Amino acid sequence: MNVYRYEQNPLVTPADVKPHRADFEVIGAFNAGVTTYNDEIIMLLRVAERPISEDANVVKAPIYNPQTNELEILEFNLNDTDYDFSDPRVIRENGSTQGFKYLTSLSYLRIARSKDGHQFTIDEKPFIYPSNELETFGIEDPRITKIEDTYYIYFSAVSPVGVGESMVSTKDFVATEHLGMIFAPENKDVLIFPEKINGMYYAIHRPVPKSTGNPEMWIAESPNLLHWGNHKFLLGLRDGMWDSGRMGGGAVPIKTEKGWLELYHGASKDDRYCMGAVLLDLEDPTKVLARTDKPILEPEADYEVEGFFGNVVFSCGAVVEGDVVKMYYGVADTSMACAELSLQEILDSLTYLK
Ligand code: MAN
């Protein structure tokens, strides 16, 4: 696979983003949803900020309070044996079988714009900020699907009751309408197809089943983008391969003559995140036609290998121009990068199911 990584990579780093308040620092500007608006490429950045800590032994957890519309900041001592601080992203309770208790940063969405796709100007202020009780730990990893003149922006809404997927719409990237939670916890990595197929909207989604099952890709349909049903299992993990640990959709499905091409992420059991591709039937996207055996992009460049959470390439959006797929992707849960790949080459690299 020929991968052309931009010379300017990483295109946006935390240092390029002004924190939204003086006592905070930006630690991530990554996993951006991508679309085009007027004559510009828009990256809707996931900006992660944390309260500045003067004491290296103190970890802080920012929490949005929907009653006061303010952030509350909890403090923990790294030596406190009640908690496990080994994953820099989260604070866990020792001995608990639950996931995490708190996040060490709060994420929200901020717009970066570009005429050439290389140089981005970042808005001064957040665009979509936590605003309700299902978003108290932040909002993350947006994707953007344009349908007619409306941009549907959907993202992980994180709170103590779980991580679900919520949706907001906009026509101009100024005014927004909040449409509520479209997939209940635990669910992430939703990708809404850009058009109806045989009268229905479709969305790939990624539940995390607990009693039995794995974090794998499902697909659902909807008459109105808000109510999703007829859920079907779509694509699973592969033992011993790069996508053996967890997986989920990445970019909005790309319509090709051969089928819907979905660029998805997969991680190994030791959390190395790569991008691969799966081809779905044009008329019935619940049918998998083919899949790449090898990743189409894997963490190799230094900015992909090292960072806040290293060895991660994670795309939430691509811009396709003819044969060129401009895949924008988050690197190491820290910054944004872009790589160009050939659409034909991706299609040629697929292995068809028998
Ligand atoms: C995982 C990671 C984090 C994220 C949380 C909550 O731990 O993806 O970056 O903040 O989940 O979604």
Side-chain angles (χ1 to χ4, degrees), residues 288-319:
V288 175
L289 303 178
R291 184 174 182 180
T292 51
D293 289 332
K294 289 195 196 128
I296 58 168
L297 183 76
E298 51 190 315
E300 282 167 342
D302 53 1
Y303 50 83
E304 298 164 351
V305 171
E306 269 153 55
F308 182 66
F309 196 82
N311 276 316
V312 176
V313 294
F314 190 99
S315 177
C316 296
V319 175

Side-chain angles (χ1 to χ4, degrees), residues 57-98:
N57 278 317
V58 173
V59 180
K60 298 184 181 179
I63 301 166
Y64 171 76
N65 180 331
Q67 271 78 47
T68 59
N69 201 18
E70 300 278 339
L71 295 183
E72 281 164 15
I73 295 161
L74 306 183
E75 297 198 6
F76 299 86
N77 195 292
L78 276 182
N79 302 317
D80 188 339
T81 50
D82 286 348
Y83 296 98
D84 169 3
F85 303 99
S86 58
D87 181 334
R89 303 173 300 182
V90 301
I91 299 170
R92 292 198 169 86
E93 265 177 331
N94 265 329
S96 160
T97 50
Q98 294 293 328

Side-chain angles (χ1 to χ4, degrees), residues 160-339:
V161 294
V163 185
E165 190 88 1
S166 291
M167 187 154 78
V168 163
S169 69
T170 186
K171 286 187 196 296
D172 54 8
F173 287 91
V174 180
T176 54
E177 189 185 347
H178 286 253
L179 302 169
M181 189 167 269
I182 53 171
F183 286 91
E186 180 162 340
N187 211 314
K188 280 186 177 184
D189 304 323
V190 172
L191 270 314
I192 298 177
F193 287 65
E195 59 186 67
K196 278 186 173 169
I197 302 162
N198 293 320
M200 284 300 221
Y201 292 109
Y202 282 84
I204 295 168
H205 62 103
R206 206 289 306 276
V208 183
K210 216 167 175 185
S211 309
T212 169
N214 291 301
E216 297 175 320
M217 287 159 69
W218 288 62
I219 189 163
E221 56 181 50
S222 169
N224 59 10
L225 297 168
L226 298 178
H227 305 106
W228 295 92
N230 198 13
H231 296 265
K232 289 181 181 159
F233 179 81
L234 185 67
L235 196 70
L237 302 172
R238 294 180 292 189
D239 263 347
M241 294 180 69
W242 58 276
D243 47 4
S244 62
R246 50 203 302 116
M247 65 191 311
V252 172
I254 301 163
K255 195 176 191 183
T256 76
E257 279 177 11
K258 302 265 187 241
W260 290 100
L261 186 70
E262 172 59 13
L263 308 179
Y264 72 93
H265 66 266
S268 56
K269 294 219 160 63
D270 57 355
D271 281 337
R272 182 172 188 266
Y273 282 75
C274 300
M275 294 298 302
V278 58
L279 190 70
L280 309 174
D281 190 277
L282 268 189
E283 293 296 315
D284 177 8
T286 69
K287 250 196 242 161
V288 175
L289 303 178
R291 184 174 182 180
T292 51
D293 289 332
K294 289 195 196 128
I296 58 168
L297 183 76
E298 51 190 315
E300 282 167 342
D302 53 1
Y303 50 83
E304 298 164 351
V305 171
E306 269 153 55
F308 182 66
F309 196 82
N311 276 316
V312 176
V313 294
F314 190 99
S315 177
C316 296
V319 175
V320 182
E321 284 168 11
D323 183 54
V324 182
V325 179
K326 300 177 179 181
M327 186 165 75
Y328 287 87
Y329 59 102
V331 293
D333 280 7
T334 306
S335 302
M336 280 304 299
C338 185

Side-chain angles (χ1 to χ4, degrees), residues 46 89-90 100 103 140 158 188:
R46 167 182 175 187
R89 303 173 300 182
V90 301
F100 59 81
L103 293 180
E140 309 175 341
V158 190
K188 280 186 177 184

